[in-house]
Amino acid sequence: MTAETFYTFKPRDKKGNPYDFEQFKGKVVLVINTASKCGFTPQYAGLEKLYKSLRADYGDDIQFLGFPCNQFGSQEPGNDDEIQSFCQINYGVTFPILGKVDVNGDNTDPFYSWLKDQKSGLLGLRRIKWNFEKFLIGRDGHVINRWASTAKPEALKEPILEALGVKNSSGGGSTAEGEAGAKPEPKSDESKPKPDEPESKSEDKVESKIESAAPSAGPDSQSKSNSTTSAVASKPEDTSSTTESQPETQA
């Protein structure tokens, strides 16, 4: 079967019904051939995490599609229902897992024949080498990139963002740094008066206390020094008078 774009195909879903790729026109799609008993099976967790993150930010502009295959070490022996249960129970997979397919050989699914024609693998090899190879489909319905099984899901984020037309994180990072660098300056300017204000207020309070205390020591004094002197001078007289009067009172 010959097809110009990704949208021409209608592979079988988990129930055996045609799954029309026309619904993904203008979107970016990641395609993975999967298996439940493979050393790379834990990649389901990373794929699901990446999928949820991208969907949260870009909605249905991005889609992941899993295609179970039993051609590599017989590592996907279950039927479609068993595969669905395994993915959901063990990894909480929410992206579509379609029906089992062959990706190599005489019974290769037409969709996978097209994928391999679009993008060869390492050293120009056309065939799928193992489980969890990945193909990235662009908004125009053509394959942008292909990765081997060893490519970790988190490493696919930047290429997917580029396919979505999103600026790479390095550009965003420099902007964020610029904003962060600009913020401390106004904060430091605003904070300068704040430490000084309590100090000036405390000095005013001390001075007011001294001034208020000064008149109470000597009502007739007009200066702080005179009031202090009169207060000191009056204390011995008061003390002596008190001392002298005490014996008389006791007697």
Side-chain angles (χ1 to χ4, degrees), residues 35-103:
S36 301
K37 299 181 182 297
C38 176
F40 293 110
T41 300
Q43 285 192 12
Y44 267 130
L47 288 166
E48 176 63 17
K49 182 179 179 180
L50 179 61
Y51 177 70
K52 282 185 175 179
S53 173
L54 292 169
R55 293 283 284 196
D57 291 336
Y58 307 105
D60 62 1
D61 270 1
I62 179 69
Q63 183 60 272
F64 288 12
L65 298 174
F67 285 85
C69 178
N70 195 40
Q71 288 187 292
F72 305 103
S74 299
Q75 294 178 345
E76 191 65 288
N79 59 38
D80 287 328
D81 288 338
E82 291 170 340
I83 293 168
Q84 297 294 323
S85 296
F86 172 86
C87 292
Q88 292 172 7
I89 292 172
N90 292 281
Y91 296 101
V93 173
T94 57
F95 57 85
I97 303 295
L98 304 186
K100 284 176 73 170
V101 297
D102 280 359
V103 298

Side-chain angles (χ1 to χ4, degrees), residues 110-149:
F111 171 55
Y112 260 87
S113 292
W114 176 81
L115 283 175
K116 293 185 291 185
D117 286 342
Q118 284 267 302
K119 196 79 172 177
S120 58
L122 189 65
L123 301 176
L125 293 176
R126 183 177 177 275
R127 66 182 178 85
I128 305 297
K129 292 179 66 178
W130 201 252
N131 303 307
F132 287 89
E133 287 200 19
K134 297 99 174 165
F135 289 84
L136 185 62
I137 314 296
R139 291 185 184 275
D140 61 354
H142 293 283
V143 176
I144 297 174
N145 214 333
R146 174 178 174 174
W147 293 277
S149 309

Side-chain angles (χ1 to χ4, degrees), residues 190-220:
E190 292 175 0
S191 62
K192 284 181 180 179
K194 292 181 180 178
D196 295 336
E197 288 174 3
E199 291 177 6
S200 60
K201 288 180 180 179
S202 61
E203 289 175 359
D204 293 340
K205 288 180 180 179
V206 171
E207 290 177 1
S208 64
K209 286 181 180 179
I210 294 172
E211 290 174 359
S212 62
S216 63
D220 298 332

Side-chain angles (χ1 to χ4, degrees), residues 174-190:
S174 60
T175 303
E177 288 173 4
E179 292 174 355
K183 287 180 180 178
E185 294 181 2
K187 284 184 179 179
S188 61
D189 291 338
E190 292 175 0

